[in-house]
């Protein structure tokens, strides 16, 4: 992949999760190899669910979500 599927800018590399990944310098989207698998954890206690706020380097920073993540190729 050479160009961003969101905005069309030429991709560069950016370190995310300890690996160099294709990333768009214009819109900030990071492309992950084969992210078909994902995991999510629901933690409940006293009729309440644990949620986390997405960090500054995530796709939608500041939004709330369940603890979750992608499984990279080879993991």
């Amino acid at each position: 992949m050479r160009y961003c599927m969101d905005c069309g800018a030429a991709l560069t590399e950016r370190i995310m999760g300890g690996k160099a990944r294709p990333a768009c310098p214009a819109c900030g989207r990071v492309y992950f190899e084969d992210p078909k698998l994902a995991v999510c954890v629901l933690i409940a206690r006293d009729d309440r669910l644990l949620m986390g706020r997405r960090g500054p380097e995530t796709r939608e920073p500041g939004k709330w979500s369940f603890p979750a993540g992608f499984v990279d190729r080879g993991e």
Side-chain angles (χ1 to χ4, degrees), residues 4-17:
C4 180
M5 294 186 333
D6 288 341
C7 72
L11 297 177
T12 59
E13 284 192 345
R14 181 171 159 194
I15 302 297
M16 282 292 280

Side-chain angles (χ1 to χ4, degrees), residues 21-62:
R21 304 178 190 276
C24 179
C27 72
R29 180 168 180 175
V30 177
Y31 291 89
F32 293 85
E33 279 188 334
D34 209 20
K36 293 178 183 154
L37 298 175
V39 293
C40 176
V41 176
L42 296 178
I43 301 171
R45 184 170 63 189
D46 300 327
D47 293 326
R48 297 171 64 179
L49 288 175
L50 175 68
M51 295 185 75
R53 185 166 257 168
R54 296 178 63 86
E57 292 192 19
T58 61
R59 181 153 185 192
E60 298 184 55

